[in-house]
Amino acid sequence: MKKQFSLISLVTFFFNIVVTSVNFMVGLVFLKETGSAFVFGTLVVIGPLVSLILTPFMTKIVDQNNHKIVMLVSQIFTLVSLFLYEVVMQLLPRWNLEWTYLLIVGIRIGEELFTVCLKASVPQIVDKGNYQRVNAGMQTSIAIANISGPILGGFVFGLITLSVYVWIAILVVIVSTRFTKLIKFNEQQKQAMSGNQTFGKVLSYLNSQGNIKSLVLIAMFVNFFASAITIGLPIVVLRQLHLSNLTYSFLDSMTSVAMLLGGVLLTIHVSGDELKTVYKSMLGFGGILFLFGIPGLAKNHSAIAIMLLVVLTSGFGLSAVFANTSMTTYIQKIVPNEIQGGIYSIINAVSQLFVPLGSLGYGILFDKFSETIIFFASGLIAVIGTVIVMKKYIFRKVMCSYVNKWHIFF
């Protein structure tokens, strides 16, 4: 188990740090060469579009093929994308931006295939009792990559060219491919490749499962409302409180640090009811979102405002990692193996799509309304939305409790 856990964590880290660092460097290159914020912003849309386009095909690709082969192919596809970019850039340097766009698309395709397949592969790699630990390990690796990727990309941007860094990225992907080859898959747990699974069947299953539908809805509105924090934090820190850029950077990093610590905690402590953990995390997220409206009111008490923001940004990171890990574990336990790829693909597509939509929506709102009002209203809506989504879960728990008492009485 320890070897499997280590291999999954390592391959997740190496593959994700390539994606995050290359994306960050490409963004800097685009901003430097074009000077256009719009062109820079288009990079944010590529991920959700790739995820959305691939979603109908994920069941055919992931659920009907050997997972280890799909993971290796996704990494090789990323390698080929990086290599072709290098070759073409040497032959056609004047088409720099166009080929860089294609590079990002290629990397995103590889990332989507790899991420969905890895999550769907956990039941084939470890026993059910270790699902949460493995998922928490992946969340920890992703958090480390998200922290170090932009730092690495920003550091090397001033030292070497994107072309040189692409060669480094190629070497890192090769290393991650090697780790993937070492992961052992349980042959008895592999789903039969019957060729009968279709995207329509995945949607039909999703429609029949109230709890799974509630998780999709949570993924939708949480990623939308999370934009209130990502867009609103710099506004509160820099515009309302008039604090330094260094203070903003520190507060922004607390979310990733909390996700890292939360992932480590979940590898040690296994929760008994994943669905309950998801709902509790989302209620906590709504409360945190509401409380984000308070620091902006403490303009004359900067120290208090900073301490409160440290607690809130950390709480945001913890609620995110607890919800994501528990959601992934619940799906691995409940959803049949042969359609897990399709379910994860739908959740990924919905999650990624609502990030730019949330950024656009809150960007407009923060230009027109008070930050405090926006946070208070968003927090209330998030809490009410979570309660509405989880009402069937609460009803079922209450009914089960009464049934158990009835049996004991008789």
Side-chain angles (χ1 to χ4, degrees):
M1 165 60 193
K2 288 183 178 179
K3 183 179 180 181
Q4 295 282 76
F5 178 85
S6 299
L7 289 172
I8 293 172
S9 298
L10 285 170
V11 73
T12 303
F13 169 74
F14 281 116
F15 197 67
N16 276 275
I17 198 168
V18 166
V19 174
T20 54
S21 59
V22 170
N23 278 342
F24 191 81
M25 279 197 72
V26 166
L28 294 178
V29 169
F30 272 41
L31 197 58
K32 180 181 178 181
E33 294 195 7
T34 67
S36 170
F38 173 77
V39 174
F40 178 78
T42 57
L43 296 174
V44 180
V45 184
I46 291 178
L49 284 178
V50 168
S51 182
L52 189 64
I53 293 170
L54 284 179
T55 296
F57 308 103
M58 275 299 183
T59 292
K60 290 287 185 182
I61 297 172
V62 174
D63 293 327
Q64 297 183 28
N65 292 286
N66 184 294
H67 283 186
K68 189 170 187 177
I69 292 176
V70 174
M71 288 168 62
L72 289 170
V73 168
S74 68
Q75 291 170 295
I76 292 170
F77 185 85
T78 303
L79 275 175
V80 172
S81 299
L82 291 165
F83 181 75
L84 286 179
Y85 172 78
E86 276 300 296
V87 172
V88 173
M89 282 305 301
Q90 297 302 319
L91 299 175
L92 300 169
R94 56 193 291 261
W95 296 99
N96 181 17
L97 294 181
E98 290 80 358
W99 284 108
T100 306
Y101 264 118
L102 291 178
L103 167 65
I104 294 301
V105 170
I107 289 177
R108 286 294 186 178
I109 291 173
E111 179 196 22
E112 181 72 11
L113 286 172
F114 179 83
T115 301
V116 170
C117 193
L118 181 58
K119 288 181 179 179
S121 298
V122 170
Q124 301 176 24
I125 299 172
V126 297
D127 59 83
K128 185 177 289 189
N130 287 305
Y131 287 0
Q132 180 184 298
R133 290 189 175 92
V134 171
N135 293 325
M138 287 193 288
Q139 287 290 325
T140 302
S141 298
I142 292 171
I144 296 173
N146 288 340
I147 294 171
S148 53
I151 295 173
L152 178 63
F155 176 73
V156 300
F157 179 73
L159 301 175
I160 60 177
T161 64
L162 176 61
S163 179
V164 174
Y165 189 71
V166 165
W167 284 112
I168 298 174
I170 288 173
L171 293 176
V172 175
V173 176
I174 291 173
V175 171
S176 73
T177 304
R178 175 59 180 166
F179 285 130
T180 301
K181 291 179 67 176
L182 293 174
I183 297 174
K184 293 182 180 180
F185 284 66
N186 187 342
E187 296 292 334
Q188 295 179 347
Q189 291 294 326
K190 289 183 180 179
Q191 64 269 35
M193 309 307 174
S194 62
N196 294 325
Q197 295 84 17
T198 64
F199 185 61
K201 289 186 177 181
V202 174
L203 291 178
S204 177
Y205 173 84
L206 181 62
N207 188 52
S208 68
Q209 301 294 315
N211 287 340
I212 306 296
K213 279 198 296 186
S214 75
L215 295 181
V216 175
L217 290 173
I218 284 175
M220 288 169 55
F221 83 75
V222 165
N223 279 278
F224 182 86
F225 285 121
S227 298
I229 297 175
T230 56
I231 299 296
L233 180 61
I235 294 175
V236 170
V237 174
L238 302 176
R239 192 167 75 185
Q240 277 193 304
L241 299 176
H242 304 290
L243 300 174
S244 66
N245 290 327
L246 182 62
T247 302
Y248 164 64
S249 299
F250 167 73
L251 292 170
D252 189 50
S253 68
M254 291 306 299
T255 298
S256 296
V257 172
M259 291 181 69
L260 173 60
L261 295 176
V264 173
L265 178 63
L266 288 173
T267 61
I268 301 171
H269 174 71
V270 178
S271 63
D273 190 332
E274 291 83 12
L275 202 59
K276 182 179 179 181
T277 302
V278 173
Y279 292 142
K280 287 171 66 177
S281 299
M282 292 305 97
L283 287 174
F285 166 75
I288 289 167
L289 192 58
F290 181 87
L291 292 175
F292 254 100
I294 297 176
L297 301 176
K299 295 180 181 180
N300 298 322
H301 305 280
S302 297
I304 296 175
I306 291 172
M307 286 189 291
L308 183 56
L309 285 170
V310 168
V311 173
L312 293 176
T313 50
S314 300
F316 174 48
L318 287 174
S319 64
V321 74
F322 273 60
N324 287 336
T325 302
S326 299
M327 184 183 298
T328 303
T329 304
Y330 180 80
I331 291 172
Q332 288 163 349
K333 289 183 177 180
I334 301 300
V335 177
N337 287 349
E338 62 269 19
I339 60 171
Q340 283 190 17
I343 295 295
Y344 282 125
S345 180
I346 291 172
I347 292 177
N348 276 8
V350 165
S351 301
Q352 292 191 48
L353 183 62
F354 274 75
V355 171
L357 290 177
S359 298
L360 177 63
Y362 276 104
I364 296 172
L365 288 174
F366 279 114
D367 282 340
K368 294 182 177 297
F369 301 100
S370 164
E371 293 83 358
T372 301
I373 293 175
I374 292 173
F375 280 123
F376 284 166
S378 298
L380 285 174
I381 294 171
V383 169
I384 293 170
T386 302
V387 171
I388 292 173
V389 168
M390 65 185 287
K391 65 179 188 288
K392 290 184 179 180
Y393 171 81
I394 296 173
F395 177 77
R396 188 174 67 254
K397 285 290 182 181
V398 171
M399 290 302 296
C400 287
S401 176
Y402 277 118
V403 169
N404 290 335
K405 289 180 181 178
W406 183 267
H407 282 301
I408 292 173
F409 181 77
F410 282 96

